[in-house]
Amino acid sequence: MSQPTIESILQEKRLFQPPAEFSQKAHIKSLDEYQELYDKAKADPQKFWADLAEKELHWFQKWDTVLDWQPPFAKWFVGGKMNISYNCLDRHLTTWRRNKAALIWEGEPGDSRTLTYAQLHREVCQFANVLKQLGVKKGDRVGIYMPMIPEAAIAMLACARIGATHTVVFGGFSAEALRDRLIDGQAKLVVTADGGWRKDGIVPLKDQVDIALANNAVPTVENVLVVKRTAQQIQMEPDRDHWWHDLQQGVSADCPAEPMDSEDMLFILYTSGSTGKPKGVVHTTAGYNLYTHMTTKWIFDLQDTDVYWCTADVGWITGHSYIVYGPLSNGATTLMYEGAPRASNPGCFWDVIEKYGVNIFYTAPTAIRAFIKMGEHLPKARNLSSLRLLGTVGEPINPEAWMWYYRVIGGERCPIVDTWWQTETGGVMITPLPGATPTKPGSATRPFPGILADVVDLEGNTIGDNEGGYLVVKHPWPGMMRTVYGDPDRFRRTYWEHIAPQDGQYLYFAGDGARRDEDGYFWVMGRVDDVINVAGHRLGTMEVESALVSHPAVAEAAVVGKPDEVKGEDVFAFVTLEGSYDPSDQLAKELKEHVVKEIGAIARPGEIRFTDAMPKTRSGKIMRRLLRSLASGQEVAGDTSTLEDRSVLDKLRGGA
Ligand code: PRX
């Protein structure tokens, strides 16, 4: 099973209506209701968002201006004061939700914990006071490098509470990748754990932090806070390192939420692009709060009795928006799972659904494809009847995988929301609303109300139905990224200068190709830049190339995505060696490990092919299109006349 092709999805004509029983109880009950909201938002976006901001969120002080738009820089709810941790916690305490489960956590070795809103509030306040005692102030940056344990969410909310900016780094990233991100964000403090359980082993997070900070490589970091999770042996550096449980003990649980300006920075999250090092995507307070709140409420159709489970890691945007902020702002019960399916327990996801009676389940197509391989006897052996809604995110879902998800996991009764969005967009942009939108397998369907999405050519002209083009957004939205941390020019160049402005209107360029069908449904085809999507993880090919070239044996490297049955794409690297090195299996293995050390296991090349030379144009540009064809074993099609040396191609075909 592979990624959808234009041909396969053009033939996809199946249409699934929302079940009547679902629609009756849903927040948005019909396509007409969706259309009405969509039209209202389109006619007056500012009024649409302002009305929702007033109704759905708590404000210490109301804004003066809804939107200040100096393209490409947007400010939402200017002059307003609020705090997202207040919206996620305090405001629920005066309601019956006070003793409702806020966070249900299932640990990998089978331990578990439930925190009510009152308990989560208490822990967050205490940890916020710990941060203050260590000198963390409003505006400081805090690095969070954690396993999937409640303390990760507690640390995020505690930062938000005192106005510190968090920068969560996925626990699967290497020490080198962590160091780069901490340096770029000038983190003052790092929160980590002694280790995290992962697939029957331990990820030595604290050891990685030690390597990242060695030799004062990140001089801004003053303190490291360590959660005891695995109790393995670690080094504690005097004065710098402290145990979370030591400092949390006896600390006051009284810590009022700091009134933050709407546009104060909430977090930085690094993501890969087609050029240079990863970008620090900046999200701010009020717009992000509103956007994640509304999208969670309407797309997952949250009801107060639901147990909601998003399987992402908090190290990614999906974890930020749809494990922590969106669900908690809505007063939902959000489930966090430390584990991942593995050979010794391939049915663990289905066990979790049965154990907690999960109602809403949100995962990635790569996981679904892996489940298909593991066999439907695993989910069939569990009681999944509590499920009422399914979601997917991270990459295009092929119609076969969609159908399997619908039939085997959803029992043909659960709508599926295929949600298209990005780190940069803050929240979901194109998606069905489950009680309203008929779905087509493989299509993310239609834009969320307030999102003016389009498919255009490079001149910015809307293109015809069923023709491929670039996916763009035409009007600012509250959850959009505000800038690249420390590099506003890069923000402008990356997202706003690829497509010509239309009638003075700037278009946000997502980097994805898409097609819109005759019903106005969007079919996202994947990246149009040098970004690959490996198991739902976004990787810049240039990042992997830089990692390879930093090895002394490598003269030149070109990385492309190779279609993969389960991961969607896999990393395929063409490598030219320095004169004194000879190709060998041993060296290929060493280079793969080198990439893991530089970036993390998610970037490990599936294959390395040694070559004497790269196929280049006369002006010296590597012809990636040819390499992509070669990697996927296809015949090289299209124009090769610009190739400088045609014999290179023959050699590459032979795998020289
Ligand atoms: O190519 C699109 C793909 O994932 C990219 C965004 O990656 P990231 O910032 O890591 O965020 C992932 C989680 C939001 C997009 O540019 N993508 C994400 N969701 C979908 C998708 N492609 C097709 N369909 C989706 N539902």
Side-chain angles (χ1 to χ4, degrees):
M1 206 169 302
S2 57
Q3 290 285 296
T5 59
I6 292 256
E7 293 72 32
S8 73
I9 62 173
L10 273 174
Q11 287 158 10
E12 183 54 61
K13 296 280 181 232
R14 284 171 287 204
L15 191 70
F16 292 82
Q17 296 294 339
E21 205 190 320
F22 190 103
S23 299
Q24 274 157 21
K25 297 184 194 142
H27 289 293
I28 313 296
K29 297 181 183 357
S30 66
L31 199 54
D32 286 347
E33 203 179 320
Y34 158 81
Q35 196 63 50
E36 207 176 294
L37 279 171
Y38 182 85
D39 292 344
K40 202 165 87 177
K42 188 174 174 182
D44 191 348
Q46 297 194 27
K47 180 167 181 343
F48 176 76
W49 292 118
D51 287 351
L52 292 172
E54 179 121 42
K55 182 164 157 254
E56 299 278 338
L57 299 180
H58 166 272
W59 296 84
F60 293 117
Q61 184 182 305
K62 203 181 155 180
W63 58 91
D64 315 310
T65 309
V66 180
L67 172 64
D68 172 3
W69 178 224
Q70 319 274 344
F73 299 102
K75 291 184 182 157
W76 284 88
F77 307 110
V78 184
K81 285 198 183 291
M82 58 115 70
N83 186 299
I84 195 168
S85 119
Y86 188 99
N87 275 307
C88 287
L89 300 169
D90 305 52
R91 65 170 167 155
H92 305 311
L93 301 187
T94 52
T95 71
W96 69 270
R97 293 195 186 100
R98 181 180 177 83
N99 296 320
K100 174 179 175 175
L103 186 70
I104 296 177
W105 173 73
E106 176 76 7
E108 175 74 334
D111 45 349
S112 61
R113 204 173 152 196
T114 298
L115 289 158
T116 64
Y117 272 94
Q119 289 170 322
L120 184 60
H121 174 260
R122 184 182 164 79
E123 297 260 346
V124 168
C125 287
Q126 282 187 309
F127 192 63
N129 278 331
V130 168
L131 292 175
K132 278 193 199 165
Q133 281 174 8
L134 291 173
V136 177
K137 291 195 224 28
K138 187 171 170 175
D140 287 342
R141 268 82 58 215
V142 171
I144 298 178
Y145 185 63
M146 293 277 258
M148 284 287 285
I149 55 177
E151 286 79 359
I154 293 168
M156 290 162 76
L157 289 159
C159 287
R161 194 162 188 86
I162 63 171
T165 299
H166 57 72
T167 174
V168 184
V169 179
F170 172 55
F173 275 126
S174 69
E176 273 73 8
L178 172 65
R179 179 192 298 142
D180 289 348
R181 286 157 176 78
L182 295 175
I183 290 174
D184 190 81
Q186 301 141 306
K188 189 164 179 181
L189 182 142
V190 178
V191 188
T192 189
D194 53 355
W197 298 103
R198 191 83 186 159
K199 300 200 176 184
D200 301 319
I202 289 177
V203 184
L205 293 166
K206 173 62 166 61
D207 293 351
Q208 298 291 315
V209 172
D210 290 343
I211 298 170
L213 300 183
N215 306 318
N216 203 24
V218 196
T220 51
V221 172
E222 294 167 6
N223 293 287
V224 176
L225 282 168
V226 188
V227 177
K228 188 172 252 174
R229 173 71 190 125
T230 52
Q232 88 222 61
Q233 195 63 37
I234 56 164
Q235 301 287 333
M236 292 293 275
E237 176 104 6
D239 301 331
R240 188 194 74 181
D241 300 348
H242 321 269
W243 287 108
W244 171 300
H245 57 264
D246 282 347
L247 297 195
Q248 186 94 333
Q249 205 170 23
V251 166
S252 161
D254 181 22
C255 179
E258 180 78 25
M260 303 295 292
D261 282 341
S262 294
E263 283 297 330
D264 277 337
M265 188 158 63
L266 175 64
F267 65 85
I268 306 170
L269 186 59
Y270 287 84
T271 191
S272 298
S274 49
T275 55
K277 55 184 181 127
K279 300 179 282 272
V281 170
V282 170
H283 283 288
T284 57
T285 302
Y288 176 82
N289 192 165
L290 179 65
Y291 198 66
T292 52
H293 180 95
M294 290 319 305
T295 47
T296 312
K297 181 169 178 167
W298 287 347
I299 298 165
F300 299 111
D301 188 49
L302 281 182
Q303 308 291 338
D304 248 322
T305 48
D306 283 330
V307 175
Y308 159 93
W309 180 22
C310 165
T311 67
D313 191 286
V314 286
W316 308 112
I317 190 71
T318 310
H320 284 57
S321 301
Y322 299 112
I323 294 177
V324 180
Y325 290 117
L328 295 177
S329 181
N330 279 283
T333 298
T334 183
L335 193 147
M336 184 190 246
Y337 179 46
E338 190 183 15
R342 57 203 184 281
S344 62
N345 192 2
C348 59
F349 273 23
W350 321 125
D351 288 338
V352 171
I353 292 177
E354 184 175 279
K355 178 171 174 186
Y356 293 102
V358 170
N359 307 105
I360 303 166
F361 179 62
Y362 189 33
T363 195
T366 184
I368 297 167
R369 292 192 297 264
F371 298 142
I372 297 174
K373 279 206 139 176
M374 290 176 206
E376 56 182 78
H377 63 284
L378 293 166
K380 287 229 161 112
R382 273 77 172 185
N383 180 356
L384 305 183
S385 62
S386 58
L387 289 172
R388 65 180 197 88
L389 175 60
L390 305 174
T392 76
V393 59
E395 52 179 317
I397 181 163
N398 40 318
E400 302 96 299
W402 194 102
M403 286 306 301
W404 186 91
Y405 197 32
Y406 181 73
R407 184 174 56 81
V408 179
I409 307 305
E412 299 186 22
R413 79 183 171 273
C414 305
I416 296 181
V417 287
D418 172 357
T419 61
W420 176 84
W421 60 296
Q422 312 177 293
T423 307
E424 292 86 339
T425 67
V428 176
M429 303 288 279
I430 302 181
T431 176
L433 297 184
T437 318
T439 49
K440 301 184 187 185
S443 170
T445 76
R446 298 168 66 161
F448 193 76
I451 301 305
L452 302 184
D454 201 359
V455 182
V456 300
D457 62 19
L458 278 177
E459 275 71 54
N461 305 304
T462 298
I463 57 172
D465 290 350
N466 289 319
E467 283 175 37
Y470 301 100
L471 184 52
V472 296
V473 186
K474 289 187 152 170
H475 189 277
W477 65 101
M480 68 195 279
M481 75 182 282
R482 299 301 194 259
T483 189
V484 172
Y485 185 67
D487 199 347
D489 272 353
R490 191 167 174 205
F491 174 60
R492 184 194 297 277
R493 276 198 316 275
T494 311
Y495 303 103
W496 304 93
E497 289 185 346
H498 285 274
I499 311 279
Q502 279 288 295
D503 310 323
Q505 193 179 29
Y506 280 74
L507 304 181
Y508 169 80
F509 170 71
D512 278 318
R515 169 179 82 83
R516 192 171 31 198
D517 70 16
E518 55 286 356
D519 297 326
Y521 277 44
F522 286 76
W523 300 78
V524 180
M525 306 301 302
R527 304 289 305 193
V528 292
D529 52 7
D530 290 324
V531 169
I532 54 178
N533 194 324
V534 181
H537 296 142
R538 184 165 150 184
L539 278 176
T541 50
M542 209 175 126
E543 258 176 285
V544 186
E545 287 164 8
S546 309
L548 284 164
V549 172
S550 72
H551 188 283
V554 177
E556 192 167 37
V559 166
V560 295
K562 174 186 172 175
D564 182 275
E565 256 191 36
V566 173
K567 296 181 184 174
E569 282 185 292
D570 199 5
V571 178
F572 192 109
F574 293 88
V575 165
T576 308
L577 294 174
E578 290 286 354
S580 53
Y581 290 87
D582 291 321
S584 69
D585 288 348
Q586 185 50 37
L587 183 56
K589 218 167 137 197
E590 191 180 318
L591 293 179
K592 289 180 187 176
E593 285 318 308
H594 183 69
V595 174
V596 173
K597 180 176 156 285
E598 291 291 308
I599 303 175
I602 51 171
R604 183 198 308 270
E607 192 172 335
I608 289 192
R609 184 171 297 175
F610 295 109
T611 171
D612 298 341
M614 299 285 176
K616 289 186 182 168
T617 61
R618 289 185 192 96
S619 58
K621 271 186 132 177
I622 295 179
M623 294 183 75
R624 287 166 184 285
R625 180 174 57 80
L626 302 189
L627 293 179
R628 271 195 293 271
S629 302
L630 287 165
S632 55
Q634 290 164 355
E635 210 18 65
V636 174
D639 186 13
T640 54
S641 61
T642 50
L643 195 59
E644 191 195 33
D645 176 1
R646 296 185 61 85
S647 69
V648 170
L649 203 55
D650 297 329
K651 280 197 204 146
L652 274 166
R653 272 200 196 101

